[in-house]
Each structure stands twice: as C-alpha cells, then as structure tokens.
Amino acid sequence: MKIITFCCILVFKCITGFGQKQNEAQLDLSTFYPEELKLKMPKETQLLNFPFHSIKVLDKRTDTSIMGFCKVERFGLPKNGYFTLKGGASTQIESFLKTQLLFDSLSTYSLVIVIRKLWLTPELENDGVLDFPKKNEKFPFTEKGRPLFKPGVIGIFDFYATKDSVYIPLTRFDSSLKDRKTLYPNEAGLIEDIITASIRKVLRINLTEKLITGKKISGKEFEEFSSKQPICKPLYISEYKKGVYATYEEFKNNQPSIKNFQIKKTEKADLLFVKDENGIEYPVRKIWGFSDGKTIYIKSSDVYFVLEKFNNNFYTMAAKKISKKGILTAEEIIVSFAIVAAGGNTAPNSKSYSLKLFLKPYQLDLETGKLY
C-alpha cells in the first residue's frame, strides 16, 4: 500500500509539476481576433432535387459567437483568434443552401434546420506525439514533413418538416469530417462539406412515410424544444459548491460527491488529496474536476485548468496531451519505481527527462463534458 501511495504521489509531482502559473492561465476571449469566414459557392455544381418549397436555418448553439479557435496574423505577428461566419451562421448557411438546392414549388412543406453544434478545429485528430512547438516553429506543428494535427469540423443538426405551424421531426445529423490535404480548416471547405452531407442524409429519408406517421408537435412545443439547452447549473450561478466532481454529471448538477479534500501546494505542484473512511489521505486521479467554491477546475492530461464562463458556455486554456518526447509516461514511472521497491535498479533519472505542456483554448462540450 505504501509503495502504491508513494508511486501515485510521484506521478502527481511529475505530471502536475508545471507550476500554478500555467494551469491557471487566464483565458481572456475579448483579446482574441475574429476570423470571419464566408462559405464558398462551388463554381460548378449539380443542384440537388429538394422535396420542400423553402428552407429555414436556426442557430441554437449555446454560444453563437465562436465557431472554433485558430491562429491569425495581425500586425505581422501570430495571434489567438476564433472562427465566425460573416453575417451569422443562419444567414450564411441559408444562402449557401439556396445555391445548392432545386426547390419543389408544388410542395406544401418547408424544411427547418436547427444547428446544435458547428465547430471548426485544427486538431480533430492528433496523429503525432508532440503537443508543443519546436523552436521557431509556427502553429500548426509538423514532424518530418507530416502534420501532427488533422483539421476537421464537428456538426450536429436537427431537421424538421413544417406546415401550418405543425412540425414533424425528421432526423438528427451528428458527425464530423476531417481533411488531410491542408493544415488550416478554413481552407478545406469543411463547413460546406458537412452541410451538404447532412442534406444528403435528409434526402435518404422516406419523406412520405415520415410526413404521415411521424410525431407532430405544435409551434410552441417546437420553440421550447429547439431553444432548450443542455442542463448545466454552474452556468447560471456565481458560487459553486466546494468539492470534487467525480463525474461530469456531478459538475452539471453542481453536486460534488467528495466534500473532504485538500490541495497541497509544493514548489512545483498542486496535489489533490481526499480522506477515506479511516481518515487516511491519498491522492486521486480519476475525477472530472473540482471547485474551491469560487473557481472551477477541469482535469485534462492529469493537470487541472481553470474553467471560465463566456457567452453561455465554459472555456479554458488547457492541454489535451503532455508531450511524450524525451519523457517517461506515468505508467512507466509507476512500473519503474515498483521494480525498485522490489529490489531492482531501473528507477528513472529525474534529470534525464522533462515535461512540457502547450496550452490552447478549448470550449467545453455541454453534452459530453469533454473539451474540443
């Protein structure tokens, strides 16, 4: 038991030893620069036959002001930025679809698209091991001529047919697309691709059967449901119950299950300890985060980062991965010291490796509790 506790403490010191200044880095989104995108209309396109007389797009994302983070160049220097669709997502997507669809003037139904999520990211898939820049290297990073990150887009759209203020749920599109040709998601036409892919899913529906047998809801019910956001109590309060959130559900409900905990500060790390039924303190790792009553911390890469509210969502400056270049993993450290405790001699040389974090801005997915 002593060996396990010692190893856990050692791992905490190695992994969380980045200093309080990094994991409490303030994310001031008011200092970010907008990168306004305009959907590109294909030069040559074959219009899709569309069994509706019109289309309406409603943007019901929790935060409609940001559509992903990026690096932009301002004054000749790389700056933090965020993607947004010029004129608003609803207007841009409606205009785009009207150039792609051949509407049916004889149809008595209109199609309504409710945007639940639309997010561009330069790292939908991390195909490498580095999470920090080499010297003089600009984002996005590469290794031996190949990109570490695969840019992509995440989209969740709900589709409804409507006639005479009656709405019929048709389908939900929930998918992501990635691009391997470019390092920059705004150059890949990913938004246009995922919108087109979602429309093609609608066209595969047996529309006649849906219109006859599908559930009917009133305009009021549609408005209430389409405007409904994921339940996340901490969004609407300024003070939080102090404690450790073992799961995301506990965070959403502001109900931490571990009340008796302590943050022990050392020169290089902040360690989170809890007490068992016998009053014995031990470090914990498998948790979602914690609150000190005023600030919320989310765990990512075994490090705790401050969550900050902005426009009806949470954001953080965090890291999803610790660089593995030139270091031992937490598992390797545990195994090595377990061998030493058993009489071996394979303890790692603490001077032979270093831990690195590269902090980036992330949004909290209010549905899943994950950062993206």
Side-chain angles (χ1 to χ4, degrees), residues 247-346:
T247 65
Y248 177 57
E249 289 299 315
E250 291 183 3
F251 166 73
K252 284 201 308 181
N253 295 304
N254 193 32
Q255 293 293 339
S257 60
I258 304 173
K259 305 295 177 62
N260 194 355
F261 77 102
Q262 186 177 3
I263 302 295
K264 293 190 175 182
K265 295 189 176 183
T266 67
E267 183 179 352
K268 292 185 178 181
D270 286 352
L271 311 181
L272 193 153
F273 285 80
V274 301
K275 285 185 178 181
D276 63 17
E277 61 275 8
N278 298 316
I280 299 176
E281 285 188 334
Y282 61 93
V284 292
R285 292 182 63 197
K286 293 184 178 181
I287 62 173
W288 186 87
F290 74 91
S291 171
D292 60 10
K294 294 183 179 180
T295 304
I296 296 171
Y297 296 81
I298 184 173
K299 186 170 77 71
S300 180
S301 297
D302 285 309
V303 183
Y304 299 102
F305 300 97
V306 175
L307 272 185
E308 302 183 42
K309 293 179 188 177
F310 184 82
N311 283 2
N312 203 36
N313 211 319
F314 283 102
Y315 296 86
T316 184
M317 187 70 78
K320 280 191 175 182
K321 287 190 177 183
I322 301 173
S323 166
K324 297 179 182 178
K325 186 177 182 181
I327 70 168
L328 293 177
T329 64
E331 290 77 14
E332 290 170 336
I333 294 171
I334 290 176
V335 170
S336 296
F337 276 92
I339 292 174
V340 170
N345 59 358
T346 61

Side-chain angles (χ1 to χ4, degrees), residues 7 44 63 68 98 125 153 160 204-205 282 301 316:
C7 291
E44 295 182 8
D63 182 359
K98 287 176 181 177
E125 177 185 308
V153 61
Y160 297 83
R204 291 193 294 268
I205 296 173
Y282 61 93
S301 297
T316 184

